[in-house]
Amino acid sequence: MSARERVLVAMSGGVDSSVAAALLAEAGHDVTGVTLRLWRHEREPGTPRSGCAREPAAEAAAVARRIGIPHLVLDAEERFEARVVRPFLDAYAAGRTPYPCAECNRHLKFGLLLEALAARGADRVATGHYARIEPTADGPGLFRARNEAKDQAYALALVPRAALARTLFPLGRLTKAEVREHARRLGLDPAERPESQDLCFVPDGDYAGFIARHGDGRGTAPGAFEDAAGRRLGTHDGIVRYTVGQRHGVGLAAGEPLYVLAVDAARDVVVVGPRAALAAGGLVTGPVNWLTGPAPAPGTRACVRIRYSHPGAEAALHPRDDGGCEVRFAEPQDAVTPGQLAVAYDASGRVLGGAPIERALAPAEVVR
């Protein structure tokens, strides 16, 4: 990064993006804060306003005034609904469990913001994500943050590779405690604000209720619980209420705890069984967003995470002709969930690529 650049910083009013903007301004860069107006929460009467459901534009503007930078608001509601909310609703109706934060990063924070970058003559986009961009032999690479407990590289795995060269993550080498200390030093109001753990457009965490209000009715009708042999065990409340690996809420009397093994949207069936039946020997993804250039050679070893909270598992990558990838685990993994991301890392913590999971492979299906 040169001595002084023009940087657009995505600001939500929270502590992370506020500190990211402040640190760049302190370093002498020409910083403009940008807030994307994504979702009007007056659509959700009675919903508690927390996390992203606060008034981000007003709070970000207040932070921008405090640190002495200009601030603007971009109306992104239409794109957010088309690229994030609608696919979220469609995925649940199809029996999948999506990860909409990755789509928001791809289409909004590193889609719309990069368009604004060009329109406003800026050099870089910055966000408050905990991740790093480092030079590599094949260009800028996306890496895990120094603070692995807060690492958000997983959520960035669908960002276009070309965007990395124009992106800054000022918090990539900081811990959360260090970020809060910067916020206190700078006198920023968000310093002690608790973090939201829910989706910004579903701040109360009631996904089924949100789907009932905004969807087209698919996936909300009662249907059958079945075991793996097809025997009916009871009646569920709608497939959108269930995800692979779930135990709580199944509510069936049995001799052992029952977990959701699969969601069959075509038949409105939720398949349940013992925990041992969740073990998968591998998985198949949709088209992969490779962040290292061409797809790696078949058999490339990697650490693969299958959801945000997953610690990662040793695996071999086998790219497919259709653009997807077959991931073969060294040891079976529980609850491989269609719709979630599979993200591969090398030993240095670099993100090799990521893609939505299409299906799990039973241990017997995996060719060694």
Side-chain angles (χ1 to χ4, degrees):
M1 187 171 180
S2 63
R4 179 179 172 85
E5 291 189 325
R6 299 185 66 186
V7 184
L8 299 185
V9 183
M11 295 183 68
S12 67
V15 63
D16 294 329
S17 60
S18 297
V19 170
L23 291 178
L24 288 169
E26 277 194 322
H29 301 294
D30 182 355
V31 176
T32 298
V34 183
T35 300
L36 301 179
R37 182 174 287 123
L38 301 178
W39 187 254
R40 288 181 291 116
H41 287 276
E42 58 267 28
R43 295 181 178 191
E44 314 296 332
T47 298
R49 306 186 72 84
S50 62
C52 295
R54 305 181 316 270
E55 296 288 353
E59 294 188 359
V63 171
R65 287 193 297 273
R66 176 71 183 83
I67 61 180
I69 64 171
H71 175 261
L72 59 93
V73 178
L74 296 181
D75 183 1
E77 186 174 2
E78 184 175 326
R79 186 179 298 201
F80 184 73
E81 183 161 5
R83 300 295 182 88
V84 179
V85 178
R86 277 299 129 197
F88 170 88
L89 296 170
D90 289 343
Y92 267 102
R96 297 163 66 85
T97 304
Y99 184 59
C101 295
E103 297 298 339
C104 183
N105 285 330
R106 170 162 58 173
H107 295 297
L108 279 299
K109 295 185 178 74
F110 297 91
L112 185 60
L113 270 187
L114 284 175
E115 294 170 18
L117 188 83
R120 296 177 182 277
D123 303 298
R124 308 265 193 147
V125 163
T127 73
H129 285 101
Y130 289 83
R132 292 179 294 129
I133 294 177
E134 303 287 354
T136 75
D138 53 44
L142 174 65
F143 288 78
R144 287 180 180 269
R146 169 195 165 200
N147 180 9
E148 292 205 5
K150 291 294 298 178
D151 175 61
Q152 293 172 305
Y154 175 91
L156 297 163
L158 300 186
V159 170
R161 185 177 181 229
L164 299 182
R166 307 196 75 182
T167 298
L168 296 170
F169 296 129
L171 310 187
R173 295 187 175 277
L174 300 179
T175 66
K176 187 71 177 191
E178 289 169 334
V179 169
R180 289 196 184 279
E181 183 55 40
H182 277 299
R184 285 189 287 269
R185 175 179 63 81
L186 295 162
L188 301 181
D189 289 341
E192 306 304 330
R193 181 178 296 141
E195 297 180 84
S196 171
Q197 300 300 315
D198 296 311
L199 295 181
C200 64
F201 57 97
V202 194
D204 63 355
D206 181 8
Y207 295 4
F210 181 89
I211 294 166
R213 291 191 298 275
H214 296 282
D216 57 10
R218 289 177 298 152
T220 61
F225 279 120
E226 293 182 357
D227 65 16
R231 290 185 290 264
R232 186 181 182 111
L233 304 179
T235 301
H236 65 70
D237 297 326
I239 62 170
V240 298
R241 297 182 180 275
Y242 303 93
T243 186
V244 171
Q246 179 178 335
R247 177 185 173 189
H248 177 73
V250 173
L252 294 172
E256 61 182 326
L258 295 177
Y259 296 78
V260 174
L261 304 183
V263 179
D264 185 342
R267 298 191 301 128
D268 279 333
V269 165
V270 176
V271 181
V272 297
R275 180 170 183 171
L278 286 171
L283 59 87
V284 175
T285 76
V288 180
N289 181 49
W290 295 112
L291 292 174
T292 55
T300 295
R301 309 301 294 184
C303 175
V304 177
R305 293 173 64 186
I306 57 174
R307 52 187 165 272
Y308 190 88
S309 60
H310 187 245
E314 183 183 350
L317 307 180
H318 291 268
R320 293 160 53 100
D321 292 341
D322 62 3
C325 186
E326 182 174 318
V327 175
R328 303 174 186 174
F329 297 123
E331 299 290 341
Q333 299 296 303
D334 282 351
V336 171
T337 306
Q340 292 287 286
L341 291 188
V343 178
Y345 305 76
D346 70 12
S348 71
R350 183 182 184 183
V351 176
L352 304 178
I357 297 168
E358 291 297 319
R359 62 186 179 93
L361 296 173
E365 293 182 83
V366 176
V367 177
R368 299 295 179 185

